[in-house]
Amino acid sequence: SNGDSSALVIDTRSSEMAALGTIPGSINIHGDKLIESRGANPIEIEDILTQQFGATGELNIWNFRQAKTLVMYCYGIWCGQAPRTLKALKAMGYPAYKLKWYRGGIQAWESVGLTTIR
């Protein structure tokens, strides 16, 4: 997207569901890829934090000063994926002010006729 490079919009749903339609400009990172208790690989978590989110550090000693503001969404207000992912990032030390939740999710987005891309 041509928008604000300090922010990242993330579709936390599975890649299969995101492929059916996602918010333009968002990237798909299944939330479970960031949650060790849900099977996430620590090396993959580190790659996402550094390469996509802009954090620095390693071995659970993170610096989020230059990290992007993340806007996460999933299916809708009733879906737990985005909130679960946000809580996991906050537990890693990601600053709460850099974590946003688009509660309406893809359901609200589509319900008002906004464009999705495949």
Side-chain angles (χ1 to χ4, degrees), residues 4 7 13 18 22 31-32 41 62 67-68 71 73 86 96 104 113 118:
D4 182 350
R13 301 174 301 151
T22 192
D32 288 357
N41 174 329
W62 295 104
K68 296 179 183 213
V71 181
Y73 71 95
L86 289 164
R118 292 171 186 260

Side-chain angles (χ1 to χ4, degrees), residues 27-81:
I27 64 166
N28 175 233
I29 299 173
H30 191 278
D32 288 357
K33 290 184 175 178
L34 289 161
I35 305 171
E36 277 191 72
S37 65
R38 295 181 79 88
N41 174 329
I43 302 301
E44 191 172 11
I45 293 172
E46 187 173 314
D47 286 349
I48 293 169
L49 288 175
T50 58
Q51 295 169 26
Q52 295 186 276
F53 297 174
T56 55
E58 58 193 24
L59 300 173
N60 298 323
I61 302 169
W62 295 104
N63 178 334
F64 296 100
R65 200 172 6 256
Q66 301 299 320
K68 296 179 183 213
T69 294
L70 308 178
V71 181
M72 299 201 167
Y73 71 95
C74 46
Y75 295 100
I77 189 86
W78 45 271
C79 176
Q81 186 66 62

Side-chain angles (χ1 to χ4, degrees), residues 11 13-22 28 75:
D11 184 341
R13 301 174 301 151
S14 70
S15 56
E16 296 81 14
M17 293 310 298
L20 297 175
T22 192
N28 175 233
Y75 295 100

